[in-house]
Amino acid sequence: MMENLELSLSSLGTISRHIEKSHNELTKYLTKQIWSQQDRQCILGCLAHLLLEKEYTLLIARHLRPLILDLLERNAERVKADGRMNHDLHERLCVALSKLLNFSPDAQAFATRYFSTAPPVFQRLYFTSEESSSIQYGPRRMKLRDLMGATLNFLQSDCAKYRVLWDWSACVSQLFTSDVMVRCYTTQCLALVSHMTDNQKTIFLRKVLSSEEILHLKMKSLEERQQLEVEKVLVLANQGSVMWRKEKSNRYTRGQVVSEDLSQNVVAVCGVVLPKMKQQTEEPIFLKDLVLVDSTCRNLRRLSIAVASQKSVLLEGPIGCGKTTLVKYLAAVTGHVKAPEILKVQLGDQTDSKMLLGMYRCTDVPGKFVWQPGSLTQAVSKGYWILLEDIDHAPLDVISVLLPLMENRKLTIPGREDCIQVAPGFQFFATRRMFFSGGSWHRPASTHAALLDKYWTKLQIGNMPREELKQASVADLVRETAVVLLVSTLRNFMFSYYHCPA
């Protein structure tokens, strides 16, 4: 589906006015009435560059929040261009990313994917003097205090993940540096990594910092918290900075960015930019079969926002309203085309937890058994998408498996002492049927699935209005007519070819 993302010209104008002339390339594009494809690429490239400037990171995020993922992916491509790591851009991206963690779920998910292959923020501390001299940095090299401050932000956002992901031994030397802020940030990082209690942390701080430095640290932390709250309000106040609409014409005015202009690692779905699993050689047939009427687009947008926020989604609605179809469409457009990239499980009274978790199976060797993971275990450990159909039919032992997964994003496998942390990319969907009674729709009563209700992001899907059913029917009729005409034309051609005189 082709879309236009309409950037607010007033937002771009505000960004342009706050940027130094040496960095400002936006002005010349804002005066144009028509943006060519090259213009649109230059504008997105310019915004991606500005995002890495620590003075402008939050300004860009505040005004262009829906595009953050695309700008981050563009910079990640630059960091790893030509198969070589650009250490200068890597450090800039880390600092910018750390500033976005509190405002953008996109940034949190991107950070998880990025650091699965990228070195830590403080990679500089591992370099020998010879290695350090061989690295080319830009004219405004990131300071070590910026890197350690960014490291602290990552730890505070997800301590369990980053304390295991990175080797912290190199940071110990920074406890003796002359830069007070580097010592402050390093002290807090090591306190979090080593799971210090409040009392232990206080003693540790007093050994590394003087009383005045501790007071300075407390004042700095208070100032940063206040700035964070103000920035959150400003971000929420600029929700309409990027709008969307389906393609209506082939002529694009200024302010409009086409979905094809975005990075190859993302895709726009009804105005929501989502990560794309892989580049598809051709569009899946299923994408061409769905008629995107207005209500379908609204539901797809709501579903995309939930996925972008990494929420578990429950789609509720009557039979045949399109709950499964929406999930399949979103999966296909984001590159989750077939199993195991997306797994579908139909729940029923006979379904048990072994089907989802896995079980031991016998092998060709007598007395030898191997563990075969179930659908849910595969999805959680590999970062796949999974759809559980008719969650209201799930027995209690299945619900008992899903509860800890939804509470703390960990899957526990009884009998194996395994606790699997959710892998990047994992997405959990479920459907529940609604029934019409007494003039309104109702959920099934007294089911075990009600125990999960507080953990879902719920999307209620209704039946299509009559007018939209007509639109869908007309679209199907046109499609079928085109197929019939094509088959008829081919048949006539083949007949004339084989029966014409030599």
Side-chain angles (χ1 to χ4, degrees):
M1 176 179 64
M2 177 82 73
E3 294 184 9
N4 286 356
L5 297 174
E6 296 187 359
L7 310 183
S8 168
L9 293 176
S10 61
S11 293
L12 290 177
T14 302
I15 293 171
S16 178
R17 287 193 297 273
H18 283 78
I19 294 173
E20 298 176 7
K21 289 184 178 179
S22 58
H23 292 84
N24 200 344
E25 298 180 13
L26 289 176
T27 306
K28 62 181 180 181
Y29 297 109
L30 292 176
T31 57
K32 291 187 175 183
Q33 294 300 315
I34 300 293
W35 285 355
S36 66
Q37 182 180 11
Q38 183 178 3
D39 291 338
R40 299 193 298 270
Q41 286 297 325
C42 289
I43 290 167
L44 292 173
C46 175
L47 292 171
H49 279 78
L50 290 172
L51 190 73
L52 297 192
E53 298 292 331
K54 63 181 182 179
E55 300 89 351
Y56 307 132
T57 299
L58 294 180
L59 176 68
I60 301 295
R62 186 190 311 158
H63 290 282
L64 300 173
R65 185 183 177 192
L67 281 180
I68 289 298
L69 181 59
D70 175 71
L71 302 182
L72 289 171
E73 289 288 356
R74 287 172 181 271
N75 285 313
E77 291 172 11
R78 292 171 57 206
V79 169
K80 300 175 182 179
D82 302 324
R84 299 178 59 187
M85 171 68 70
N86 186 318
H87 295 284
D88 184 43
L89 287 178
H90 168 70
E91 291 184 352
R92 292 179 181 278
L93 178 56
C94 289
V95 173
L97 191 55
S98 71
K99 293 176 177 289
L100 300 172
L101 293 175
N102 294 299
F103 313 110
S104 173
D106 289 332
Q108 298 170 9
F110 173 84
T112 301
R113 296 192 303 273
Y114 180 74
F115 285 117
S116 63
T117 56
V121 184
F122 49 87
Q123 55 153 2
R124 184 187 298 181
L125 301 179
Y126 294 108
F127 295 149
T128 63
S129 57
E130 183 179 347
E131 289 172 333
S132 183
S133 61
S134 65
I135 296 174
Q136 294 184 350
Y137 287 94
R140 302 173 68 184
R141 183 185 181 186
M142 298 305 299
K143 297 179 180 178
L144 189 56
R145 63 169 57 184
D146 293 320
L147 298 180
M148 295 312 298
T151 302
L152 179 60
N153 287 341
F154 283 112
L155 264 180
Q156 290 173 335
S157 70
D158 194 339
C159 183
K161 177 170 63 183
Y162 291 107
R163 70 183 293 271
V164 176
L165 183 62
W166 296 334
D167 178 7
W168 296 89
S169 58
C171 296
V172 177
S173 62
Q174 300 309 305
L175 296 175
F176 309 101
T177 185
S178 59
D179 191 316
V180 176
M181 290 311 301
V182 172
R183 272 189 286 135
C184 288
Y185 290 138
T186 304
T187 303
Q188 294 178 84
C189 286
L190 294 179
L192 286 171
V193 168
S194 55
H195 286 309
M196 290 186 186
T197 63
D198 290 339
N199 188 39
Q200 291 171 332
K201 183 178 177 180
T202 301
I203 296 172
F204 184 42
L205 284 171
R206 288 175 179 171
K207 289 185 176 181
V208 178
L209 305 171
S210 66
S211 300
E212 285 139 11
E213 290 170 344
I214 291 175
L215 179 61
H216 175 70
L217 172 60
K218 291 180 178 178
M219 295 295 292
K220 181 75 173 176
S221 298
L222 179 61
E223 180 184 350
E224 288 176 350
R225 282 198 298 270
Q226 290 175 339
Q227 289 178 344
L228 182 61
E229 293 302 319
V230 170
E231 195 60 43
K232 283 182 178 179
V233 173
L234 292 174
V235 168
L236 292 173
N238 285 277
Q239 291 298 305
S241 57
V242 178
M243 306 299 290
W244 77 279
R245 64 181 176 85
K246 288 185 287 186
E247 182 186 22
K248 304 255 181 173
S249 66
N250 294 320
R251 192 168 184 266
Y252 307 109
T253 59
R254 62 176 180 163
Q256 294 183 5
V257 175
V258 191
S259 55
E260 290 183 347
D261 296 327
L262 301 178
S263 165
Q264 63 178 358
N265 296 320
V266 301
V267 61
V269 184
C270 298
V272 181
V273 179
L274 297 174
K276 194 173 182 179
M277 188 172 180
K278 62 183 178 181
Q279 188 73 8
Q280 298 170 2
T281 55
E282 60 182 26
E283 187 179 36
I285 296 175
F286 178 74
L287 297 182
K288 302 173 184 177
D289 291 339
L290 186 65
V291 180
L292 295 174
V293 295
D294 290 342
S295 64
T296 303
C297 289
R298 286 195 300 270
N299 291 330
L300 266 177
R301 180 174 173 81
R302 292 160 58 205
L303 183 60
S304 301
I305 291 172
V307 170
S309 302
Q310 303 177 73
K311 304 292 186 182
S312 300
V313 186
L314 177 64
L315 295 94
E316 299 180 304
I319 298 173
C321 68
K323 302 184 292 294
T324 303
T325 301
L326 286 175
V327 175
K328 287 173 61 180
Y329 180 89
L330 188 63
V333 81
T334 54
H336 301 78
V337 180
K338 56 185 178 181
E341 295 156 1
I342 179 168
L343 302 170
K344 179 183 171 184
V345 179
Q346 178 67 52
L347 299 179
D349 296 335
Q350 304 303 315
T351 307
D352 61 8
S353 58
K354 292 180 181 178
M355 179 179 176
L356 296 177
L357 294 177
M359 63 185 73
Y360 284 98
R361 293 193 180 278
C362 59
T363 64
D364 295 335
V365 180
K368 184 177 180 180
F369 297 85
V370 294
W371 172 256
Q372 181 174 340
S375 300
L376 184 60
T377 303
Q378 292 181 54
V380 170
S381 60
K382 302 295 185 182
Y384 300 145
W385 285 17
I386 187 168
L387 169 63
L388 301 186
E389 293 268 30
D390 297 331
I391 192 71
D392 45 299
H393 291 170
L396 185 58
D397 72 324
V398 170
I399 300 300
S400 65
V401 167
L402 299 178
L403 267 172
L405 175 62
M406 299 182 70
E407 280 183 324
N408 51 33
R409 293 182 68 78
K410 292 181 180 179
L411 182 64
T412 304
I413 302 180
R416 282 180 57 88
E417 298 182 355
D418 284 351
C419 187
I420 304 174
Q421 185 74 37
V422 168
F426 172 73
Q427 183 62 49
F428 185 20
F429 302 94
T431 64
R432 179 161 63 188
R433 297 180 184 181
M434 301 278 281
F435 299 94
F436 191 79
S437 174
S440 60
W441 292 97
H442 301 278
R443 300 183 182 91
S446 302
T447 65
H448 299 303
L451 295 170
L452 304 175
D453 276 357
K454 67 178 181 180
Y455 301 109
W456 297 110
T457 292
K458 297 178 184 176
L459 301 182
Q460 292 190 351
I461 313 296
N463 288 320
M464 278 189 190
R466 182 172 297 178
E467 289 301 317
E468 292 187 347
L469 284 172
K470 291 180 181 178
Q471 293 178 34
S473 299
V474 169
D476 287 338
L477 180 61
V478 170
R479 188 183 298 124
E480 290 175 7
T481 303
V483 171
V484 170
L485 288 174
L486 177 61
V487 171
S488 177
T489 303
L490 286 173
R491 184 183 297 138
N492 292 336
F493 171 78
M494 296 298 292
F495 180 83
S496 59
Y497 179 81
Y498 285 108
H499 292 81
C500 64

